[in-house]
Amino acid sequence: MNLPERDSPNKARFAAALDALVVAAKDDARTLAGLSAAAQEHGLKMRALEIATMARNLAPDDAQVRAVTGRAMAAGVPRWHHNILRDLARNSAYRAALEQVVRPGDHVLDIGAGSGLLSMIAARAGAARVTACELNPAVADAAVRTVAQNGFADRITIVPLYSTDVELERDLGARVDVIVQEIIAHDMLCEGVLPALADAVPRFLKPGGRVVPERAQVRVALAHWPHAKARELDNVEGFDLSPFSTLARYPLEAASNDPSLVLRSDPVDLFGWDFAAGGPYGPGRASTELTVHDGDANGVVQWIHIDLVEGVTYENAPAPGPNSSWACLFYPFAAGAVPAGTVMRVNGTHSQIALRIWAEPVAG
C-alpha cells in the first residue's frame, strides 16, 4: 500500500489516499481489513470502523478478517458493555420493570441502547415501536445487527445520536409512552443521566407516560477495606514516593462482593433523584454523621440503589454473592483508620454529572 507515513502532518492527504484504495479494493475483504487497520493506526477511528464493517459484511466468517479488524471494531467501546450484560440481577430487574410498564402498542424510547437488550425486552413485552439512541458507532452497528438477528428489525430503530440531539418529529414522529435508560454510573451521575432525563422527559414523554427507572439513590456507609492502603505508594526501592500518591485516582473501585470490604456503620441515603419527574436537577450538598462500630474504619464506601418501578429494585451494596456490574466506590479517610466509637461526618456535593464525597471526624 502506498500510504503516507504515519507521522505525516497531512492527514487529509492520507485520508484521500485511503479512500482511493478502498474504492480499488472493492469486494476484497482482506484488503479492506488491512486498510481499516491502517486507518486505525493513523487516528481515523470513525473511518476505520466504516471500512472494518465493510470487510466483515463481505466475509463474516473469515478468521483473518475478524482478527485484523478487531481493534477498529472495538476501539472506544468500554469494557463495561460486556460486564453489564453478564449482570443477571440487573438484566432481570429491567425485564421485570419493562414487563410491568410496557403495554401493547406502546412506543418506547431507549436512551443508551448498548447491545439493544432493553429495546428487545420492551419489544417482546408488547411495544409496537422502539427508538433506541446509541452514539458509539461500533456499539450502534452491533446493536443493529443484534436486533436484526433476533427478529426485531421491523420494530426497533437504532438512532446513532445522543438523546439530546434527537428531534421529536424527525426521529420519533410523536411523543413516546415509555422512556427507559441505563446510563447510570458507579457514582450514579458521570454518564450524564440527569441532563439526559431533564431533556428527554419534558420533550418526548406523553402526559402520563412511564419512566424506567423511576428513582434512584446514592447510599454511603463507613467501612474498612484493607486494599485501600495497598493502593498507596510509600517506599519503593528504598525511595519515599508518597508525594506521588497525591496523583492517584480517587475514589477507588471495589467489587461489590469483595469479602474484605466490611461495613462499619449503618448505610444511609446521601442523595436521591426522581428520574420520572425529568428535573430540573440542580446541584446538591448533603452531610450526615455516622458512628464507627465493630472495629476500625478507613473510609467511606458508596453504592447505588435503583427503584425501577414499584416493587422492582436493584442495589449493588457490599455483600457476598454475585458481583455487580457496578462497582462500589471507596473514599479513604485522609488521616487513615479511626477506631470504633468515632463519629465521622460524611459530606457530599454533586453537579449534574459529578459526585464528590469526603469525611472528617466530628470534634469532641
Side-chain angles (χ1 to χ4, degrees):
M1 300 177 193
N2 256 340
L3 294 176
E5 294 298 320
R6 179 174 180 173
D7 59 357
S8 169
N10 193 340
K11 187 174 281 190
R13 177 170 162 252
F14 172 86
L18 176 69
D19 289 344
L21 288 168
V22 169
V23 172
K26 294 183 179 178
D27 297 333
D28 187 335
R30 292 190 175 185
T31 298
L32 289 170
L35 291 171
S36 75
Q40 177 72 23
E41 291 172 3
H42 283 76
L44 301 175
K45 294 182 179 180
M46 292 290 291
R47 188 63 174 129
L49 174 62
E50 292 171 0
I51 301 168
T53 301
M54 292 167 59
R56 288 204 179 187
N57 287 340
L58 286 168
D61 300 321
D62 188 309
Q64 179 176 323
V65 168
R66 294 186 65 83
V68 174
T69 58
R71 185 180 172 197
M73 296 294 291
V77 179
R79 292 184 178 180
W80 49 255
H81 274 288
H82 294 87
N83 293 338
I84 61 176
L85 294 174
R86 298 187 183 100
D87 188 338
L88 301 183
R90 170 239 184 222
N91 298 340
S92 177
Y94 269 92
R95 175 187 52 75
L98 287 169
E99 288 177 349
Q100 183 173 321
V101 303
V102 173
R103 300 163 187 164
D106 276 352
H107 184 184
V108 176
L109 173 62
D110 179 1
I111 300 177
S115 67
L117 176 64
L118 300 186
S119 293
M120 292 188 291
I121 291 174
R124 188 176 62 188
R129 182 183 173 198
V130 181
T131 304
C133 305
E134 177 52 60
L135 184 69
N136 187 297
V139 175
D141 175 72
V144 168
R145 290 183 283 112
T146 301
V147 164
Q149 186 161 312
N150 284 275
F152 291 107
D154 60 331
R155 283 193 280 162
I156 299 174
T157 302
I158 307 296
V159 179
L161 297 169
Y162 278 123
S163 61
T164 50
D165 293 326
V166 168
E167 295 182 11
L168 180 63
E169 294 299 327
R170 181 193 68 194
D171 300 308
L172 299 176
R175 289 178 177 265
V176 302
D177 303 283
V178 178
I179 293 176
V180 61
Q181 58 80 17
E182 204 279 66
I183 47 174
I184 296 172
H186 303 314
D187 70 351
M188 191 74 73
L189 303 181
C190 73
E191 288 186 34
V193 63
L194 295 187
L197 289 176
D199 170 75
V201 170
R203 278 211 299 147
F204 301 142
L205 192 64
K206 290 179 181 178
R210 290 84 70 197
V211 177
V212 178
E214 294 178 343
R215 294 174 299 278
Q217 302 83 40
V218 161
R219 292 188 169 167
V220 296
L222 305 179
H224 183 268
W225 191 40
H227 295 296
K229 182 65 178 177
R231 304 284 183 92
E232 297 178 6
L233 290 171
D234 41 38
N235 188 291
V236 178
E237 292 293 332
F239 300 102
D240 181 3
L241 297 187
S242 57
F244 203 75
S245 291
T246 61
L247 303 180
R249 182 173 295 181
Y250 288 99
L252 305 172
E253 293 186 8
S256 64
N257 63 351
D258 186 336
S260 69
L261 178 59
V262 181
L263 299 188
R264 296 297 198 211
S265 76
D266 295 329
V268 297
D269 290 346
L270 193 62
F271 294 109
W273 296 272
D274 184 346
F275 289 162
Y281 304 106
R285 177 180 293 272
S287 67
T288 186
E289 292 186 3
L290 298 174
T291 302
V292 180
H293 60 60
D294 300 328
D296 64 355
N298 64 340
V300 177
V301 63
Q302 172 257 304
W303 65 95
I304 61 175
H305 177 95
I306 305 170
D307 296 296
L308 288 99
V309 292
E310 186 67 31
V312 182
T313 64
Y314 181 100
E315 184 173 0
N316 68 321
N323 188 34
S324 171
S325 55
W326 281 288
C328 297
L329 299 182
F330 192 83
Y331 298 78
F333 294 152
V338 298
T342 305
V343 180
M344 300 292 293
R345 179 176 291 109
V346 178
N347 305 287
T349 64
H350 73 81
S351 64
Q352 284 204 2
I353 59 171
L355 174 71
R356 296 175 178 85
I357 293 173
W358 68 99
E360 53 200 357
V362 175

